[in-house]
Amino acid sequence: YRTSALGASVQGMGRDLETGLARLVDRVFRERMGASLLPTRIGKGPGRSSPVRPLPLIVLPALCACAASPTVPSPQESLTDWLAEASSEAPVVVAHRGLSATHPENTLPAFEAAMELGVQMIEFDVHETADGVLVCIHDKTIDRTAMADQGTEVASLPWSGGMDGLDVGTWKGPEFVGTGVPTLEVALLAMRGRTVPMIEHKAGAPERYVELLQRLDMVDRVVLQSFDWDFLTAVRALEPRLILGVLGPTEHYQYTETTDQMQFWNFCTN
């Protein structure tokens, strides 16, 4: 991601990067929400407390696009134009897997809680089931969030009678017992018009992503990112309008002169 704006904003805030980020995020939050995230003064020295951590969803350099705007794009507004314009203001707040600090990650409660805070973007992860349904889950297996501990892979389970019956909320707390895995379609419909979905492809055929986004008429309302550059190349060929985020480099995918000519659009690119 292009983080020059974030880096410039943090410069001069002192040697304590955490304190600098806390101040930066708190300033943006106060401007948008009218309240502070920091109940005490931050910094070190006489009369000051230790740095106070802001809400986890708001602050991690990897989760902050270098843009900010208090609203999502209007239906008539280009998402690329909105991101480009917002980059001159302040960081866009991106909720990582929803409000995952306090809610089960990649679930509707986490997404709803993040949207209630007014975040402009929600990042979440997507796998494909054995019968071709795109579902919101981070790991390759269901073990961690479904507390299965059996090495069962998402790709080995069907949606009906498999993934749709999982409880991925109990591990986070008793108040989330029975929380299920949402499909990508359900998640997108919940976010439409309220925030910008930042879909991270973990697995699944490019055709399934493109078909779903086209059917929901959301091709120009989302960011689709992946560490799999072959996937992104295929998506670009199928639907050139999609904004793509190229993650990496990785051991398998390295930046080369050829890569630079692929016409990928980073989500901060106009």
Side-chain angles (χ1 to χ4, degrees):
Y1 301 142
R2 188 179 301 171
T3 54
S4 57
L6 178 61
S9 299
V10 172
Q11 278 186 352
M13 289 185 175
R15 294 183 178 179
D16 192 328
L17 179 60
E18 183 180 61
T19 299
L21 284 170
R23 286 175 173 156
L24 172 63
V25 172
D26 184 57
R27 186 191 73 202
V28 174
F29 192 85
R30 279 187 284 108
E31 290 174 354
R32 293 188 47 230
M33 306 298 290
S36 176
L37 289 168
L38 305 176
T40 59
R41 298 176 67 186
I42 58 176
K44 295 181 180 179
R48 293 179 176 245
S49 68
S50 299
V52 178
R53 293 180 183 272
L55 294 178
L57 85 141
I58 295 178
V59 52
L60 284 178
L63 307 183
C64 290
C66 45
S69 175
T71 59
V72 296
S74 67
Q76 296 77 30
E77 187 176 12
S78 162
L79 180 54
T80 52
D81 290 344
W82 178 75
L83 287 168
E85 181 178 355
S87 64
S88 63
E89 300 172 8
V92 162
V93 178
V94 182
H96 185 231
R97 306 179 197 173
L99 186 49
S100 56
T102 55
H103 293 67
E105 64 182 58
N106 288 324
T107 64
L108 290 181
F111 299 155
E112 287 292 340
M115 289 186 286
E116 287 175 6
L117 286 178
V119 299
Q120 294 110 322
M121 303 183 81
I122 295 180
E123 182 271 353
F124 58 98
D125 311 282
V126 177
H127 281 264
E128 183 177 353
T129 64
D131 51 351
V133 178
L134 298 176
V135 294
C136 302
I137 187 169
H138 177 271
D139 297 355
K140 185 178 181 180
T141 73
I142 64 172
D143 291 7
R144 179 173 59 88
T145 54
M147 299 190 298
D149 198 27
Q150 297 174 354
T152 304
E153 295 190 359
V154 175
S156 70
L157 294 173
W159 168 250
S160 180
M163 292 293 295
D164 66 341
L166 294 180
D167 177 346
V168 292
T170 298
W171 74 278
K172 196 66 174 180
E175 65 271 36
F176 299 113
V177 170
T179 300
V181 176
T183 65
L184 174 58
E185 179 170 358
V186 167
L188 290 174
L189 290 174
M191 296 179 198
R192 181 154 59 183
R194 302 173 64 192
T195 190
V196 176
M198 182 187 289
I199 306 164
E200 181 163 334
H201 161 266
K202 292 295 187 183
E207 294 82 4
R208 297 203 187 278
Y209 286 81
V210 171
E211 184 278 328
L212 176 60
L213 292 170
Q214 289 175 339
R215 177 161 54 83
L216 297 180
D217 194 23
M218 293 185 69
V219 167
D220 58 351
R221 300 290 95 185
V222 306
V223 173
L224 178 58
Q225 60 184 11
S226 181
F227 284 98
D228 185 339
W229 296 1
D230 292 331
F231 168 84
L232 294 172
T233 302
V235 168
R236 171 62 72 225
L238 291 168
E239 181 48 87
R241 294 176 296 166
L242 268 167
I243 301 175
L244 303 179
V246 183
L247 303 181
T250 66
E251 182 178 353
H252 185 66
Y253 299 103
Q254 296 291 325
Y255 293 121
T256 65
E257 184 176 352
T258 302
T259 302
D260 296 335
Q261 298 170 359
M262 288 174 136
Q263 299 182 4
F264 287 150
W265 286 4
N266 182 286
F267 66 82
C268 282
T269 299
N270 185 351

